[in-house]
Amino acid sequence: MTPPNDSSDLIMKGLISQKAAMKITTIESIIGTDAGGRGMKALIVPNDLHRAAITLTSLPANSSVVILSGFPCCVNHSPPTETDGPPGAISIARTALSLGHSVTLVTDECNELVFRAAAECLPEIEFEIFPAEKSMTKENEERMKNLVEKNCDLLVSCERAGPAKDGICYTMRGIDMNAKGLIAPIHKIVDMARELRPEVKYIAIGDGGNEMGMGKVIDKIRESDKIKDGDKIGAVTVCDFLIAASVSNWGGYALSGACAVLKNDENIGDNVDWVQKLVPSEEGEVALLERCVKVGCRDGVSGKMEATVDGMPLETSMNCLRNIRDAGK
């Protein structure tokens, strides 16, 4: 039987077993229900979740993974950071660290407080923090270049604000976050990698069309009747593998879960619970969100300083995480 979304090519190349392919397709369907009502189901690139997980689990030992995150959409608050992004980014970091790699998390100065709170559970994470574009110096640019040249074997972005066709990063409501002095030009890291390290793959996760990596499906974003002003806000940065999800945190959980599926598949009988090792627990996620809220993080839809995500109750996200963990076993 051919798995849904036709992952037969990956199977034929020996990159994945049929059983694992079907499990990851199930995870892909869990995060693609369009619970946020933004038309994300139409932006899913079939098997990109599979390919992203294969890429992460196939990295040589002791590789360097760079994670880009931060969406300062709560522009009238300090910090302006939303609850969607930090949990997903930390989930990916947990997975990369557990696979034996180093992790550098990159975000803006305005988001630093929240991301450091989120990362308290993983002290091994290194941070690179950059100022808003108008405050960037030659030293900052050199720091970016050094990161790409010496400490970057894979790029992953999760709910990272991405520049539209005019170079501006917009919220879903069309607010210019650059004009508010909130956006560091982190997208330049991808540009530098394309130029200096073209072999480095780039995985992107988003849920609204205005995140880095969504350039891979920019035409669909502009045509969508569920993304208001898609032509204006649509992010143009292109990725190798796009994980479109109802909520970006869910995309992070999904990548972790898909990696666990592959590790379980290749290590049958090794008595390692890869889901437990690579995918966050519900208890851990609740604690993480509470730490973020304690330092001022807000729901990006409601604007409230509470442990909800994109206007949805916490239980909705925990139910998704639970389903991903179950599917990964």
Side-chain angles (χ1 to χ4, degrees), residues 165-180:
K165 61 184 180 181
D166 60 2
I168 301 298
C169 293
Y170 294 100
T171 70
M172 290 299 293
R173 298 180 177 91
I175 298 170
D176 180 345
M177 292 180 284
N178 294 71
K180 298 284 187 178

PDB file of all heavy atoms in Angstrom, residues 165-180:
ATOM      1  N   LYS A 165       7.744  41.355   0.596  1.00  0.00           N
ATOM      2  CA  LYS A 165       8.390  41.786  -0.646  1.00  0.00           C
ATOM      3  C   LYS A 165       9.004  43.183  -0.539  1.00  0.00           C
ATOM      4  O   LYS A 165       9.933  43.523  -1.274  1.00  0.00           O
ATOM      5  CB  LYS A 165       7.393  41.733  -1.804  1.00  0.00           C
ATOM      6  CG  LYS A 165       6.181  42.635  -1.644  1.00  0.00           C
ATOM      7  CD  LYS A 165       5.212  42.447  -2.792  1.00  0.00           C
ATOM      8  CE  LYS A 165       3.985  43.354  -2.643  1.00  0.00           C
ATOM      9  NZ  LYS A 165       3.019  43.154  -3.756  1.00  0.00           N
ATOM     10  N   ASP A 166       8.498  43.996   0.408  1.00  0.00           N
ATOM     11  CA  ASP A 166       9.055  45.343   0.596  1.00  0.00           C
ATOM     12  C   ASP A 166      10.130  45.386   1.677  1.00  0.00           C
ATOM     13  O   ASP A 166      10.609  46.460   2.049  1.00  0.00           O
ATOM     14  CB  ASP A 166       7.941  46.340   0.915  1.00  0.00           C
ATOM     15  CG  ASP A 166       7.174  45.985   2.186  1.00  0.00           C
ATOM     16  OD1 ASP A 166       7.528  44.984   2.847  1.00  0.00           O
ATOM     17  OD2 ASP A 166       6.201  46.692   2.519  1.00  0.00           O
ATOM     18  N   GLY A 167      10.498  44.212   2.199  1.00  0.00           N
ATOM     19  CA  GLY A 167      11.547  44.142   3.219  1.00  0.00           C
ATOM     20  C   GLY A 167      11.065  44.357   4.631  1.00  0.00           C
ATOM     21  O   GLY A 167      11.854  44.294   5.579  1.00  0.00           O
ATOM     22  N   ILE A 168       9.767  44.596   4.801  1.00  0.00           N
ATOM     23  CA  ILE A 168       9.193  44.858   6.123  1.00  0.00           C
ATOM     24  C   ILE A 168       8.603  43.577   6.712  1.00  0.00           C
ATOM     25  O   ILE A 168       8.011  42.762   6.009  1.00  0.00           O
ATOM     26  CB  ILE A 168       8.084  45.931   6.031  1.00  0.00           C
ATOM     27  CG1 ILE A 168       8.637  47.236   5.454  1.00  0.00           C
ATOM     28  CG2 ILE A 168       7.443  46.174   7.396  1.00  0.00           C
ATOM     29  CD1 ILE A 168       9.719  47.867   6.284  1.00  0.00           C
ATOM     30  N   CYS A 169       8.739  43.412   8.025  1.00  0.00           N
ATOM     31  CA  CYS A 169       8.099  42.295   8.735  1.00  0.00           C
ATOM     32  C   CYS A 169       6.785  42.780   9.323  1.00  0.00           C
ATOM     33  O   CYS A 169       6.767  43.740  10.115  1.00  0.00           O
ATOM     34  CB  CYS A 169       9.008  41.784   9.854  1.00  0.00           C
ATOM     35  SG  CYS A 169      10.523  40.997   9.273  1.00  0.00           S
ATOM     36  N   TYR A 170       5.698  42.144   8.933  1.00  0.00           N
ATOM     37  CA  TYR A 170       4.370  42.558   9.364  1.00  0.00           C
ATOM     38  C   TYR A 170       3.730  41.528  10.288  1.00  0.00           C
ATOM     39  O   TYR A 170       3.974  40.323  10.177  1.00  0.00           O
ATOM     40  CB  TYR A 170       3.446  42.718   8.151  1.00  0.00           C
ATOM     41  CG  TYR A 170       3.827  43.828   7.203  1.00  0.00           C
ATOM     42  CD1 TYR A 170       4.519  43.560   6.023  1.00  0.00           C
ATOM     43  CD2 TYR A 170       3.480  45.155   7.477  1.00  0.00           C
ATOM     44  CE1 TYR A 170       4.858  44.578   5.146  1.00  0.00           C
ATOM     45  CE2 TYR A 170       3.817  46.180   6.601  1.00  0.00           C
ATOM     46  CZ  TYR A 170       4.508  45.883   5.436  1.00  0.00           C
ATOM     47  OH  TYR A 170       4.839  46.888   4.573  1.00  0.00           O
ATOM     48  N   THR A 171       2.874  42.020  11.189  1.00  0.00           N
ATOM     49  CA  THR A 171       2.030  41.129  11.973  1.00  0.00           C
ATOM     50  C   THR A 171       0.881  40.674  11.083  1.00  0.00           C
ATOM     51  O   THR A 171       0.700  41.168   9.965  1.00  0.00           O
ATOM     52  CB  THR A 171       1.441  41.841  13.206  1.00  0.00           C
ATOM     53  OG1 THR A 171       0.465  42.803  12.774  1.00  0.00           O
ATOM     54  CG2 THR A 171       2.520  42.542  14.022  1.00  0.00           C
ATOM     55  N   MET A 172       0.058  39.736  11.585  1.00  0.00           N
ATOM     56  CA  MET A 172      -1.103  39.287  10.813  1.00  0.00           C
ATOM     57  C   MET A 172      -2.082  40.429  10.578  1.00  0.00           C
ATOM     58  O   MET A 172      -2.860  40.403   9.629  1.00  0.00           O
ATOM     59  CB  MET A 172      -1.819  38.138  11.536  1.00  0.00           C
ATOM     60  CG  MET A 172      -1.054  36.825  11.553  1.00  0.00           C
ATOM     61  SD  MET A 172      -0.706  36.146   9.914  1.00  0.00           S
ATOM     62  CE  MET A 172      -2.352  35.745   9.332  1.00  0.00           C
ATOM     63  N   ARG A 173      -2.036  41.446  11.435  1.00  0.00           N
ATOM     64  CA  ARG A 173      -2.922  42.605  11.277  1.00  0.00           C
ATOM     65  C   ARG A 173      -2.299  43.674  10.380  1.00  0.00           C
ATOM     66  O   ARG A 173      -2.864  44.746  10.198  1.00  0.00           O
ATOM     67  CB  ARG A 173      -3.252  43.197  12.648  1.00  0.00           C
ATOM     68  CG  ARG A 173      -4.008  42.234  13.578  1.00  0.00           C
ATOM     69  CD  ARG A 173      -4.299  42.901  14.928  1.00  0.00           C
ATOM     70  NE  ARG A 173      -5.075  42.050  15.803  1.00  0.00           N
ATOM     71  CZ  ARG A 173      -4.561  41.194  16.678  1.00  0.00           C
ATOM     72  NH1 ARG A 173      -3.247  41.070  16.776  1.00  0.00           N
ATOM     73  NH2 ARG A 173      -5.344  40.452  17.447  1.00  0.00           N
ATOM     74  N   GLY A 174      -1.128  43.374   9.849  1.00  0.00           N
ATOM     75  CA  GLY A 174      -0.474  44.306   8.941  1.00  0.00           C
ATOM     76  C   GLY A 174       0.330  45.399   9.612  1.00  0.00           C
ATOM     77  O   GLY A 174       0.692  46.395   8.978  1.00  0.00           O
ATOM     78  N   ILE A 175       0.630  45.245  10.902  1.00  0.00           N
ATOM     79  CA  ILE A 175       1.434  46.238  11.624  1.00  0.00           C
ATOM     80  C   ILE A 175       2.908  46.064  11.275  1.00  0.00           C
ATOM     81  O   ILE A 175       3.436  44.942  11.261  1.00  0.00           O
ATOM     82  CB  ILE A 175       1.230  46.111  13.144  1.00  0.00           C
ATOM     83  CG1 ILE A 175      -0.241  46.370  13.511  1.00  0.00           C
ATOM     84  CG2 ILE A 175       2.128  47.077  13.903  1.00  0.00           C
ATOM     85  CD1 ILE A 175      -0.576  46.041  14.952  1.00  0.00           C
ATOM     86  N   ASP A 176       3.570  47.169  10.993  1.00  0.00           N
ATOM     87  CA  ASP A 176       4.983  47.185  10.635  1.00  0.00           C
ATOM     88  C   ASP A 176       5.829  47.074  11.907  1.00  0.00           C
ATOM     89  O   ASP A 176       5.941  48.030  12.680  1.00  0.00           O
ATOM     90  CB  ASP A 176       5.280  48.496   9.892  1.00  0.00           C
ATOM     91  CG  ASP A 176       6.736  48.642   9.471  1.00  0.00           C
ATOM     92  OD1 ASP A 176       7.586  47.899   9.979  1.00  0.00           O
ATOM     93  OD2 ASP A 176       7.015  49.538   8.647  1.00  0.00           O
ATOM     94  N   MET A 177       6.426  45.907  12.122  1.00  0.00           N
ATOM     95  CA  MET A 177       7.233  45.697  13.327  1.00  0.00           C
ATOM     96  C   MET A 177       8.612  46.339  13.216  1.00  0.00           C
ATOM     97  O   MET A 177       9.232  46.659  14.229  1.00  0.00           O
ATOM     98  CB  MET A 177       7.356  44.196  13.626  1.00  0.00           C
ATOM     99  CG  MET A 177       6.046  43.550  14.059  1.00  0.00           C
ATOM    100  SD  MET A 177       6.201  41.767  14.408  1.00  0.00           S
ATOM    101  CE  MET A 177       6.285  41.113  12.724  1.00  0.00           C
ATOM    102  N   ASN A 178       9.091  46.542  11.992  1.00  0.00           N
ATOM    103  CA  ASN A 178      10.375  47.232  11.809  1.00  0.00           C
ATOM    104  C   ASN A 178      10.290  48.676  12.282  1.00  0.00           C
ATOM    105  O   ASN A 178      11.192  49.187  12.948  1.00  0.00           O
ATOM    106  CB  ASN A 178      10.786  47.195  10.333  1.00  0.00           C
ATOM    107  CG  ASN A 178      11.089  45.797   9.844  1.00  0.00           C
ATOM    108  OD1 ASN A 178      10.173  44.992   9.691  1.00  0.00           O
ATOM    109  ND2 ASN A 178      12.350  45.497   9.596  1.00  0.00           N
ATOM    110  N   ALA A 179       9.181  49.336  11.926  1.00  0.00           N
ATOM    111  CA  ALA A 179       9.000  50.739  12.298  1.00  0.00           C
ATOM    112  C   ALA A 179       8.932  50.915  13.810  1.00  0.00           C
ATOM    113  O   ALA A 179       9.256  51.988  14.336  1.00  0.00           O
ATOM    114  CB  ALA A 179       7.731  51.293  11.651  1.00  0.00           C
ATOM    115  N   LYS A 180       8.533  49.837  14.496  1.00  0.00           N
ATOM    116  CA  LYS A 180       8.466  49.880  15.958  1.00  0.00           C
ATOM    117  C   LYS A 180       9.837  49.632  16.593  1.00  0.00           C
ATOM    118  O   LYS A 180       9.968  49.650  17.820  1.00  0.00           O
ATOM    119  CB  LYS A 180       7.476  48.818  16.461  1.00  0.00           C
ATOM    120  CG  LYS A 180       6.034  49.015  15.988  1.00  0.00           C
ATOM    121  CD  LYS A 180       5.343  50.121  16.743  1.00  0.00           C
ATOM    122  CE  LYS A 180       3.862  50.201  16.387  1.00  0.00           C
ATOM    123  NZ  LYS A 180       3.161  51.257  17.151  1.00  0.00           N
TER     124      LYS A 180
END
